[in-house]
Amino acid sequence: MSTAAFTVCFAAWTIFSILGIQIQKDLGLNETQFGLLIATPILTGSLIRLVLGVWTDQLGGRRMQVIVMLAAAMATYLMTYATTYPQFLLAALGVGIAGGAFAVGVTYVSKFYPAGRQGTALGIFGAGNVGAAITKFLAPVVMLAMGWEGVARIWAAALVVMAILFFITTKDEPDLAERRALGAKPRSFAEQFAPLRNVQVWRFSLYYFFVFGAFVGLSLWLPRYLIGVYGFDIKTAGLIAAAYSVPASLFRIYGGHLSDRVGARTVMYWTFLVSVVATFLLSYPPTSYVVDGIDGPISFRLATGPFAFIVLIFVLGFFMSLGKAAVYKHIPIYYPGNVGSVGGMVGMMGGLGGFILPIAFGALNDLTGIWQSCFMLLFLISAGALIWMHTAIRQMEREQAGEMLQKLPELPEMRPIHGVREEGALKGHVITDWRPEDPVFWETSGRAIARRNLWISIPALFLSFAVWMVWSIVVAKLPLVGFRYTTDQLFWLAALPGLSGATLRIFYSFMVPVFGGRLWSTLTTWSLLIPAVGIGLAVRNPDTPYGIMLLLALLCGFGGGNFASSMSNIGFFYPKSEKGNALALNAGLGNLGVSAMQFLVPVVITAGVFGVLGGGAQTIVENGAESSIYLQNAGFIWVPFIIASAFACWFGMNDLSSAKASFADQSIIFTRRHNWIMCWLYTGTFGSFIGFSAAFPLLTKLLFPDVNALKIAFLGPLVGALSRSFTGGIADRFGGARVTILVFLAMMAGTAGLIWVLGQPDQPWAFGAFFALFLLLFFATGVGNASTFQMIPAIMRSEIARLEPGLSAEDQRRQAEKESAAITGFTSAIAAYGAFFIPKSFGLSIDMSGGANGALWGFLAFYMSCLLITWFVYARPGGLLHATERGLRLQPAE
């Protein structure tokens, strides 16, 4: 009965996948609006899953399931009165309540079965996903006969009938009946939400985001995709989409059985491996090739026909169904008392995938003009989930068999000649004894090793910033070499490296303790070759698809991600007395990559530096004069330096055994409130630095078209990088919080000045004042970047001493070091989103008002909030760092 109820609810939950096509025609919606409409029910059904799971534990699944179905029935029926797009969105929010039935059913059904049969039982229940196929199969027929309003009324009636049948034929779960008999109170929300602090829950959530969220997203999107790509009518598209949904639902039963029999891990590996291959093949757009053969041109075309597409979709849906069951096999076993909260959270994230992905599919269509872009996104998600899962498993295995792994040879072929003498001989870069706080150790050997790692790290980070921000120059030149992009498309290209770089930083923050600083620095430096070479190849041809340019912009984020791991790595090498200055040098001189790039690229693109290997020149007309440029050199110029730096990292850097920690060990920072506070403050400093660096060339070109912005654009990042490099010692001496307050005062003054200057655009001094105020902002951000990073170790030393009083002084120091490194990386990740939001804010402000003042007012309010937070939490009398920065001793609490 639970499966039947979930089937009816799922059919109602996905009703817009069919009705939305007719509504799109009636209202003239674009692709993004259509994607939002069909995804809105998924949003409601996802968000309420968490609370419904907990309520089911407290009140019982039988009662909650009936309430969910009746509420969804009312919303579905009232939808027939909608006439405008906002009204349909509101109705869709109500219809989405039906999606909450999953969280209720998982919690309810799992209570009736022992652990050895829960996989199969939940697999059978999850087969209610077939409701999506029922809607795709029946709704087009009913809609042709009775209109879309008839579909809504019949589906609402089915929900009411099912609610009545469910209430009559089911009973309360055993533990609820027992609790009522004993008069015991249900557990509180806080108790049930406690397991959500485990990183494992969030990893499960990512898995389900793909296996379920992508299933729902494709269920909603496939009819539109099939009509647009293959020209099917709505009835045929609905039938094919149903053919995808049916096996992707029913085989969930088999997935549960397999998980019980061979193990959920094996099923998850097969799911993600096959999904990576299938989504890669589906993401390949139809392409025509002409090869210059020996006897003349050879032409051929690669495209996925309808039959091949259906086969691949069927395979993808089959393995998604197995993965859905495998994910939920874990939950009642590892969290038997918290199935409601954990299952609700995982279900919520999966449902959010069903909401986010159709919108993303529509937006990608609008941005790239490539139908297959939806599968490109799914390829990235599935590959990311596979990598995270495999990394977590390998880390667990290494921790379990650490000593045995150390004794193994570097390569299996060396086993016959590998003895005790050879054990660890090739692992000389790992330092097992590292005591930077010991003055004797530091002076005799520690300082030299730390400096060597720092001076190898700086050039690698320098190149990372150069590659990350290279679009800020390239974008301004693209229209001159024949790329016909709108202003909005250009701002997207300028902003996307910031978005991807910031997102990668979140993961890179935790990689050094997992993989080691030497290996990770080497790999991330090599990764810079991908965007550098890609840019050089792509900009030579103005016919390069916009989608490829977007992809290359995203890949530039590899450079942005490197900052988090680089800072985390260097932080482990230095004592607290020198950490602020070392991090300032690493970050500040690394930041110089932005300025050097903005100075060097305009120079190197004027000459054929690489001769015939770099390709021919492009002719441009600028200010009435014709000239030639080699825009490809903007990417190619970094290639030899990247190769040299990668070799230097591998042969010259070290790993510290004391810095080793798993992701789970570091994830404790998500429970530290100061982690989130410092994310806010560092966004104010570094987020502004990198955002202004990305936006300044294009912003100047738009606001002051007579000024050649590329000749002076490098000066702002140069000032910011140098101020960061040479003011770290000031924060060490006077205290990071006090310096940070002065920084935000200066940034508020600079922003207010810009608002006033841009109100006087016709004045002859307007550009000079505009440029001077931006230099002030860059200088302040550099100082603030150093001072905020100096605050983090000081904060964590105080916090660990308070939170972990039972640890020895040395253990407290090590814990503070590990958490400081993780927080340093994570705050840099969040702050890096400034590289996306600041250019987009300027672009949005210019589109809406014709000027940049709208964005600047927003920045001014944000800097004011940063100032108040710094003073209240850290710098005021009684603040966390007040006594520390003034050399005072805190009196024990009475």
Side-chain angles (χ1 to χ4, degrees):
M1 291 309 298
S2 291
T3 303
F6 182 46
T7 301
V8 175
C9 288
F10 210 92
W13 197 30
T14 56
I15 195 172
F16 276 95
S17 63
I18 299 299
L19 303 193
I21 296 173
Q22 184 61 46
I23 295 169
Q24 182 187 29
K25 292 180 180 177
D26 294 343
L27 301 181
L29 307 179
N30 61 29
E31 295 296 334
T32 304
Q33 290 173 316
F34 172 74
L36 179 61
L37 177 64
I38 64 174
T40 296
I42 313 304
L43 175 64
T44 311
S46 305
L47 294 178
I48 64 173
R49 285 184 172 189
L50 182 58
V51 68
L52 284 179
V54 176
W55 279 345
T56 302
D57 267 337
Q58 294 179 336
L59 304 176
R62 180 168 173 250
R63 180 187 306 177
M64 290 305 303
Q65 199 69 288
V66 170
I67 292 173
V68 166
M69 285 188 282
L70 292 178
M74 182 182 300
T76 304
Y77 182 79
L78 291 176
M79 178 178 63
T80 60
Y81 294 98
T83 57
T84 65
Y85 184 61
Q87 289 174 349
F88 277 110
L89 288 178
L90 182 62
L93 285 172
V95 172
I97 295 172
F102 177 77
V104 177
V106 166
T107 309
Y108 178 64
V109 169
S110 65
K111 302 292 180 65
F112 288 94
Y113 291 88
R117 296 179 60 195
Q118 283 174 337
T120 303
L122 293 178
I124 293 172
F125 168 74
N129 291 165
V130 77
I134 292 173
T135 290
K136 292 178 180 64
F137 182 75
L138 295 178
V141 179
V142 176
M143 188 165 67
L144 289 174
M146 303 175 62
W148 70 262
E149 296 90 344
V151 177
R153 294 189 183 104
I154 291 175
W155 264 237
L159 284 166
V160 173
V161 171
M162 190 67 242
I164 296 171
L165 287 175
F166 186 84
F167 185 76
I168 294 172
T169 58
T170 58
K171 61 181 181 179
D172 290 329
E173 50 268 60
D175 68 332
L176 179 65
E178 181 182 352
R179 195 172 69 226
R180 286 176 177 169
L182 297 174
K185 292 184 177 180
R187 292 180 305 145
S188 66
F189 268 57
E191 290 179 288
Q192 295 190 65
F193 285 154
L196 302 188
R197 290 178 294 188
N198 295 342
V199 70
Q200 181 191 56
V201 175
W202 297 97
R203 193 166 67 249
F204 290 165
S205 297
L206 175 63
Y207 302 164
Y208 208 62
F209 183 91
F210 176 75
V211 295
F212 177 75
F215 161 74
V216 174
L218 286 175
S219 294
L220 297 170
W221 188 253
L222 272 180
R224 182 72 186 92
Y225 184 92
L226 293 167
I227 292 170
V229 176
Y230 299 112
F232 294 128
D233 58 49
I234 187 170
K235 185 176 179 180
T236 306
L239 287 172
I240 295 174
Y244 158 77
S245 300
V246 170
S249 303
L250 296 181
F251 281 114
R252 185 167 182 164
I253 301 172
Y254 182 58
H257 172 70
L258 274 181
S259 298
D260 284 338
R261 185 176 177 183
V262 304
R265 179 195 294 182
T266 301
V267 175
M268 291 304 302
Y269 263 117
W270 276 108
T271 294
F272 287 128
L273 286 169
V274 174
S275 295
V276 166
V277 174
T279 53
F280 177 79
L281 295 174
L282 288 167
S283 67
Y284 201 87
T287 310
S288 298
Y289 293 89
V290 178
V291 178
D292 292 331
I294 296 174
D295 298 322
I298 302 172
S299 301
F300 62 95
R301 179 174 173 80
L302 293 179
T304 304
F307 178 77
F309 178 84
I310 291 171
V311 171
L312 286 170
I313 278 291
F314 178 87
V315 171
L316 180 63
F318 171 76
F319 279 94
M320 280 180 167
S321 67
L322 302 186
K324 285 183 282 189
V327 172
Y328 268 87
K329 167 67 177 176
H330 294 82
I331 294 171
I333 293 177
Y334 287 102
Y335 303 97
N338 297 283
V339 175
S341 58
V342 176
M345 170 58 75
V346 174
M348 182 185 77
M349 295 304 293
L352 283 176
F355 166 71
I356 294 169
L357 291 175
I359 299 175
F361 295 163
L364 285 172
N365 267 13
D366 288 338
L367 284 171
T368 66
I370 301 173
W371 278 105
Q372 290 74 21
S373 58
C374 60
F375 293 106
M376 297 175 188
L377 176 60
L378 295 183
F379 169 76
L380 293 176
I381 297 171
S382 59
L386 174 62
I387 291 169
W388 192 5
M389 181 179 75
H390 184 67
T391 300
I393 291 170
R394 293 290 296 149
Q395 178 65 27
M396 177 184 66
E397 292 172 346
R398 282 194 297 270
E399 290 174 356
Q400 186 66 26
E403 292 185 7
M404 294 184 64
L405 288 174
Q406 292 296 323
K407 295 179 180 180
L408 293 176
E410 293 291 300
L411 297 171
E413 294 81 3
M414 294 179 177
R415 273 182 175 271
I417 59 173
H418 186 74
V420 176
R421 186 176 65 87
E422 290 82 16
E423 288 179 6
L426 298 179
K427 297 182 174 68
H429 289 82
V430 179
I431 299 175
T432 56
D433 180 25
W434 188 252
R435 292 169 283 116
E437 300 296 345
D438 181 343
V440 176
F441 174 85
W442 180 248
E443 292 298 332
T444 55
S445 60
R447 187 192 300 274
I449 295 172
R451 282 181 174 174
R452 184 180 73 248
N453 281 269
L454 173 63
W455 291 111
I456 294 174
S457 174
I458 288 172
L461 189 56
F462 176 97
L463 292 167
S464 297
F465 272 95
V467 172
W468 189 25
M469 289 289 104
V470 72
W471 276 112
S472 64
I473 296 297
V474 173
V475 166
K477 290 290 187 181
L478 289 178
L480 296 176
V481 296
F483 287 85
R484 301 180 182 278
Y485 296 151
T486 65
T487 299
D488 185 60
Q489 287 177 313
L490 291 173
F491 267 113
W492 266 108
L493 287 177
L496 279 180
L499 181 64
S500 59
T503 304
L504 287 175
R505 282 187 179 195
I506 296 175
F507 300 99
Y508 282 30
S509 302
F510 305 98
M511 292 298 104
V512 167
V514 174
F515 292 101
R518 170 175 168 255
L519 174 60
W520 189 251
S521 297
T522 303
L523 291 176
T524 53
T525 303
W526 278 118
S527 72
L528 300 177
L529 286 177
I530 300 172
V533 174
I535 290 169
L537 296 175
V539 299
R540 293 191 299 185
N541 183 5
D543 295 326
T544 301
Y546 184 62
I548 299 298
M549 303 299 280
L550 286 174
L551 178 61
L552 287 170
L554 287 169
L555 290 174
C556 282
F558 285 151
N562 289 0
F563 179 82
S565 53
S566 178
M567 295 296 284
S568 172
N569 183 44
I570 295 303
F572 284 115
F573 281 93
Y574 279 84
K576 62 183 180 182
S577 60
E578 298 184 33
K579 195 181 297 290
N581 190 52
L583 292 177
L585 284 171
N586 190 52
L589 296 180
N591 288 169
L592 276 176
V594 180
S595 179
M597 178 277 300
Q598 292 182 340
F599 173 79
L600 183 62
V601 168
V603 175
V604 299
I605 64 176
T606 62
V609 178
F610 298 97
V612 69
L613 294 176
Q618 297 153 303
T619 302
I620 65 171
V621 178
E622 194 170 14
N623 297 326
E626 188 175 290
S627 60
S628 297
I629 66 170
Y630 298 80
L631 191 56
Q632 61 268 29
N633 290 351
F636 290 153
I637 190 62
W638 310 109
V639 170
F641 301 106
I642 291 170
I643 294 172
S645 180
F647 278 114
C649 289
W650 182 248
F651 291 106
M653 298 186 78
N654 298 98
D655 291 325
L656 298 178
S657 61
S658 60
K660 289 289 184 181
S662 68
F663 182 87
D665 294 334
Q666 299 173 80
S667 65
I668 194 174
I669 68 169
F670 298 123
T671 67
R672 308 301 196 203
R673 74 183 184 99
H674 293 287
N675 174 49
W676 303 104
I677 294 173
M678 292 309 299
C679 284
W680 188 265
L681 300 184
Y682 195 58
T683 300
T685 57
F686 180 78
S688 298
F689 168 81
I690 203 66
F692 290 149
S693 297
F696 182 75
L698 191 55
L699 179 67
T700 306
K701 187 175 182 63
L702 292 174
L703 297 180
F704 300 94
D706 295 333
V707 176
N708 188 346
L710 297 186
K711 289 185 176 180
I712 58 172
F714 74 94
L715 289 173
L718 175 65
V719 168
L722 292 178
S723 67
R724 179 172 192 162
S725 302
F726 299 111
T727 60
I730 296 176
D732 283 334
R733 180 177 179 183
F734 296 103
R738 288 194 283 182
V739 174
T740 302
I741 283 180
L742 297 177
V743 163
F744 285 124
L745 284 172
M747 294 179 71
M748 289 170 61
T751 306
L754 281 173
I755 293 172
W756 180 77
V757 168
L758 292 181
Q760 321 286 325
D762 298 328
Q763 298 296 327
W765 44 262
F767 174 74
F770 170 84
F771 185 59
L773 287 167
F774 255 109
L775 290 182
L776 170 63
L777 286 173
F778 275 112
F779 176 82
T781 60
V783 178
N785 290 338
S787 64
T788 48
F789 265 15
Q790 191 277 342
M791 292 168 63
I792 292 173
I795 291 168
M796 295 317 298
R797 285 193 294 270
S798 297
E799 282 292 280
I800 295 301
R802 180 180 67 85
L803 296 171
E804 305 286 353
L807 297 179
S808 66
E810 179 62 18
D811 287 341
Q812 286 183 354
R813 182 193 67 78
R814 289 180 179 175
Q815 185 65 23
E817 291 287 332
K818 288 182 179 180
E819 292 193 28
S820 296
I823 291 174
T824 297
F826 185 73
T827 54
S828 74
I830 300 302
Y833 281 107
F836 171 75
F837 286 110
I838 285 182
K840 285 303 295 177
S841 296
F842 280 129
L844 181 63
S845 178
I846 291 171
D847 283 345
M848 294 180 64
S849 65
N853 277 1
L856 291 170
W857 277 110
F859 301 155
L860 181 60
F862 177 63
Y863 298 148
M864 184 177 295
S865 73
C866 293
L867 172 68
L868 294 175
I869 290 171
T870 306
W871 179 83
F872 184 80
V873 179
Y874 300 116
R876 69 179 175 88
L880 184 66
L881 298 180
H882 180 268
T884 302
E885 293 187 350
R886 287 160 178 77
L888 303 176
R889 274 193 174 177
L890 289 171
Q891 296 298 320
E894 297 181 2

